[in-house]
Amino acid sequence: MITLSSENKKKQTVKAMLIKAKNMVPKGSDSKASTDPTAEQEEEDGLISPPYPLEELARFRETSSALSAMVDAYKTNIAGFGYKLYYNVDINSDDIDEAIKEKAKQEWVVADNFYKYCNFDSSFCEILQKVIDDREYMGFGCMEVITDGKGRTAGFEYVPAHTIRISKIHPDPQPVTLETVDENGKTTKIIFQKCFRRYCQKIEGTNTTIWFKEFGDPRRMDKNTGKFEIEFDSEGNPIKTDISPEDEASSLLVFNIPAPYTVYGLPRWLGNMMNIQGTRRAEELNYRYFQKGRHTPLAIIVNNGTLTDSSLDVLQGYVNDIQGVEGAFGYLVLEGAGFDDGDPTSTSQQKVNIQIKPLLDAIQNDGLFQEYIKNNKDSLRESMRLAPIYTGASKDYTRATADVARAITEEQVFQPERQKISERISRLVNQALGIKYVEMRLNGPDITNKKDLAEAVAVYHKTGVITPNMVIDAVSALLNQDLEPISADWGNLPINIVLELVKQGKLEIEDLVVKPKANPTYTDNEAAAEMNTEDPESTENTTESEEE
């Protein structure tokens, strides 16, 4: 509020007074990074302190709605489409021994049962999505590998990453055996020397700690102390510790986003932390406009007088009490006292003039910092390497641009991540279960353009180079079904050549037997008799029709 006063006609002064509401900033809006109180104890246990408070990184999901949408896109596109098992060898090939084929089929059943029933409450992909969620927020995610009563790998369990601390590398290397399989199913053993880490979980709300060993470490370890069954002192003498089956530690499988200076890894969005916090402050400012904002920003100008003390108190109370939409409408009465005219013999006072001028430039027609918020979200999305279509941030996509955006993001972001996670899990699980000929791969979305695929098949058919197996592959993609390829040699010959060989009687396709639908009065013998009595000329015409 600006007040103009005059002591006499010859001398005038200008006074200004600012009236604003008190306690505009809500409590708890400013957060400061906290330090980990257990850092000193972790150093004593040989653990490495994380570079940032892990729980605060995880709580950024409460701060940024844009970040939550992007992390959800990662979870969905990496592990949200399920998984599939594949053979490492061609079990239909004649070059593979029958013993290897039988062994591969048995391993398929073992792998299929493991991934199907790896957890009682959640599916394998649900657990993996939780791990990816932690990895994208904190830089790493954890999954416990559960064993059965005989020490065999039996399942997975999600472990909150913010409760895990990672140790330094144990100095004693351990031999690790890896078996490779060639195209004929022959295996070769390779022995590596690897140094493993230990992991410690701090149970929330208690002082209890549980130790884990790294998945693949062949040693037995105590889950209460983190000591291995056999360790060596400073002089190299072995020290043996008796570990009961109940106290034996399970393994932990950790997936991190690599960083050269920390074993914990760093989230992709960490460079945009200031943008995330700035966006939050801008959103809080817009929210406080409805909670504490002045719906009528204005200047009160008083000429030839001053406001009375009671008017100032009323004005200050009005400003303090107005609360968002509840104070949008109200009446304000101001009283002013005029100055005298400077004549000592006169008892009259000058006429007081009170003007209220709206400050139109300060009125918020819409939210503040909208361009700033938009730029911050764009920068955050770029750090996550996502196209706007994955977060619903763009409305001007056409089908062509959307297909290109999905294809590039799938090729550059999701498929490499999916492949790295699949290969690591499959390799370690196969090693633990003794599986050689079967591997697991995470599925991706079907981004094939069905129309282009159908047109390509038609072009190949006209040129005469398409084979029956190529048609089966194309139809499998069009129908999203797994159709078995033709194992015979003619399945890889061009269709025109196959038809010509059949026409000339040089190729007999025994697998192609047309069987009628089940009918109580029509037996298979009658159907065979009917086929044998078929007119040869009719068969030739049918073949020519099929060729056309």
Side-chain angles (χ1 to χ4, degrees):
M1 182 191 71
I2 299 178
T3 304
L4 301 180
S5 63
S6 173
E7 297 181 356
N8 50 52
K9 291 183 177 180
K10 297 181 179 180
K11 184 178 180 181
Q12 293 183 341
T13 59
V14 177
K15 295 182 180 180
M17 180 183 299
L18 178 63
I19 298 178
K20 64 177 293 185
K22 299 178 181 179
N23 299 326
M24 287 287 292
V25 181
K27 295 181 180 180
S29 61
D30 292 331
S31 60
K32 297 181 180 179
S34 61
T35 58
D36 193 343
T38 62
E40 296 182 0
Q41 181 63 35
E42 292 174 359
E43 291 293 338
E44 295 179 1
D45 294 335
L47 301 175
I48 303 173
S49 297
Y52 296 92
L54 297 179
E55 186 172 352
E56 291 195 10
L57 292 179
R59 288 187 178 276
F60 265 88
R61 73 186 71 233
E62 305 172 6
T63 302
S64 174
S65 59
L67 180 60
S68 300
M70 296 174 193
V71 172
D72 287 344
Y74 267 78
K75 294 190 306 183
T76 301
N77 286 275
I78 293 178
F81 296 96
Y83 66 91
K84 188 177 180 180
L85 299 179
Y86 294 87
Y87 286 112
N88 290 335
V89 295
D90 185 5
I91 62 173
N92 297 319
S93 174
D94 296 335
D95 298 331
I96 305 297
D97 294 339
E98 291 298 326
I100 295 178
K101 294 180 180 180
E102 187 64 27
K103 177 65 174 175
K105 294 178 181 179
Q106 294 175 0
E107 291 182 354
W108 181 286
V109 176
V110 174
D112 187 44
N113 288 334
F114 174 80
Y115 288 107
K116 276 184 179 180
Y117 309 110
C118 65
N119 190 276
F120 180 76
D121 297 319
S122 304
S123 67
F124 166 67
C125 289
E126 287 176 337
I127 296 174
L128 193 56
Q129 282 184 314
K130 295 178 182 178
V131 175
I132 295 173
D133 184 89
D134 282 354
R135 189 185 70 153
E136 297 304 323
Y137 276 110
M138 291 173 277
F140 75 106
C142 305
M143 185 164 58
E144 180 184 2
V145 183
I146 304 172
T147 56
D148 58 14
K150 297 182 180 180
R152 297 174 301 187
T153 301
F156 294 126
E157 185 64 64
Y158 162 72
V159 178
H162 71 276
T163 64
I164 296 296
R165 297 296 180 268
I166 305 176
S167 75
K168 299 176 182 177
I169 294 180
H170 199 275
D172 299 332
Q174 300 296 316
V176 178
T177 303
L178 180 65
E179 291 192 55
T180 62
V181 181
D182 61 14
E183 65 276 6
N184 295 322
K186 306 298 182 181
T187 61
T188 303
K189 290 185 178 181
I190 304 176
I191 299 178
F192 295 91
Q193 294 293 328
K194 176 178 173 58
C195 293
F196 292 90
R197 296 183 185 272
R198 298 174 301 153
Y199 304 96
C200 181
Q201 182 183 24
K202 308 288 185 178
I203 304 299
E204 301 178 58
T206 66
N207 294 326
T208 306
T209 58
I210 298 179
W211 289 84
F212 300 90
K213 65 179 182 179
E214 186 175 350
F215 189 31
D217 194 336
R219 295 169 293 183
R220 300 178 71 235
M221 189 179 75
D222 193 318
K223 68 177 182 181
N224 300 313
T225 63
K227 301 294 183 181
F228 289 103
E229 186 176 26
I230 299 178
E231 294 196 359
F232 298 91
D233 57 17
S234 58
E235 298 180 356
N237 299 319
I239 302 175
K240 185 175 181 179
T241 303
D242 293 331
I243 302 175
S244 63
E246 295 78 10
D247 293 332
E248 184 175 357
S250 56
S251 302
L252 203 66
L253 187 56
V254 177
F255 302 89
N256 69 347
I257 302 175
Y261 51 88
T262 174
V263 296
Y264 289 90
L266 296 177
R268 311 174 200 274
W269 53 268
L270 195 59
N272 275 276
M273 182 180 291
M274 294 297 102
N275 290 341
I276 294 175
Q277 293 177 335
T279 300
R280 177 68 176 184
R281 296 298 181 267
E283 292 173 345
E284 288 179 356
L285 177 62
N286 289 328
Y287 170 72
R288 288 200 301 270
Y289 175 76
F290 294 97
Q291 186 181 26
K292 296 282 187 180
R294 306 281 74 77
H295 286 266
T296 55
L298 48 84
I300 301 176
I301 303 174
V302 182
N303 295 323
N304 300 326
T306 183
L307 292 179
T308 62
D309 293 340
S310 60
S311 294
L312 290 175
D313 294 339
V314 171
L315 185 59
Q316 182 66 62
Y318 171 77
V319 173
N320 290 336
D321 295 339
I322 186 174
Q323 295 291 328
V325 294
E326 288 79 4
F329 303 99
Y331 298 95
L332 180 64
V333 179
L334 299 177
E335 296 178 349
F339 299 126
D340 56 31
D341 57 3
D343 187 356
T345 61
S346 175
T347 60
S348 63
Q349 292 180 328
Q350 294 183 353
K351 184 179 179 181
V352 179
N353 183 17
I354 300 177
Q355 300 180 10
I356 298 179
K357 292 188 175 181
L359 302 178
L360 299 179
D361 294 339
I363 295 179
Q364 293 179 226
N365 296 322
D366 198 358
L368 294 176
F369 304 107
Q370 293 300 298
E371 193 66 25
Y372 171 76
I373 294 174
K374 180 180 180 300
N375 292 337
N376 285 350
K377 290 183 177 180
D378 291 342
S379 177
L380 177 61
R381 187 169 54 252
E382 290 173 1
S383 66
M384 300 290 286
R385 301 177 64 196
L386 290 177
I389 192 174
Y390 282 93
T391 58
S394 181
K395 299 180 180 179
D396 55 354
Y397 269 99
T398 63
R399 178 171 181 176
T401 56
D403 289 344
V404 171
R406 292 180 61 205
I408 293 177
T409 308
E410 175 67 19
E411 175 188 297
Q412 298 294 321
V413 180
F414 297 132
Q415 178 57 30
E417 293 293 333
R418 204 180 295 121
Q419 182 176 352
K420 287 188 294 185
I421 294 175
S422 299
E423 288 180 351
R424 188 168 181 222
I425 294 177
S426 184
R427 183 176 66 252
L428 294 175
V429 169
N430 286 1
Q431 179 183 354
L433 297 179
I435 296 176
K436 306 173 185 177
Y437 305 110
V438 180
E439 65 179 15
M440 183 275 302
R441 300 176 195 169
L442 293 172
N443 294 332
D446 182 14
I447 58 175
T448 305
N449 190 318
K450 309 294 185 183
K451 182 179 179 181
D452 293 344
L453 180 60
E455 292 177 352
V457 171
V459 172
Y460 293 149
H461 177 64
K462 289 181 180 179
T463 58
V465 299
I466 196 168
T467 66
N469 280 335
M470 292 173 62
V471 176
I472 291 175
D473 291 340
V475 174
S476 298
L478 289 172
L479 301 180
N480 288 328
Q481 294 182 357
D482 294 330
L483 302 179
E484 290 291 336
I486 298 173
S487 58
D489 294 337
W490 62 267
N492 296 317
L493 295 177
I495 290 180
N496 291 345
I497 296 178
V498 173
L499 295 177
E500 185 64 26
L501 292 175
V502 172
K503 181 179 178 180
Q504 295 178 7
K506 297 180 180 180
L507 176 62
E508 294 182 359
I509 304 178
E510 299 178 356
D511 296 337
L512 296 181
V513 178
V514 180
K515 295 183 179 181
K517 294 183 179 180
N519 191 325
T521 61
Y522 192 77
T523 63
D524 291 342
N525 293 332
E526 293 174 348
E530 237 183 290
M531 294 179 65
N532 293 332
T533 58
E534 191 174 9
D535 187 3
E537 295 181 1
S538 175
T539 303
E540 182 177 352
N541 294 336
T542 303
T543 304
E544 293 176 355
S545 176
E546 290 178 354
E547 181 179 4
E548 293 175 359

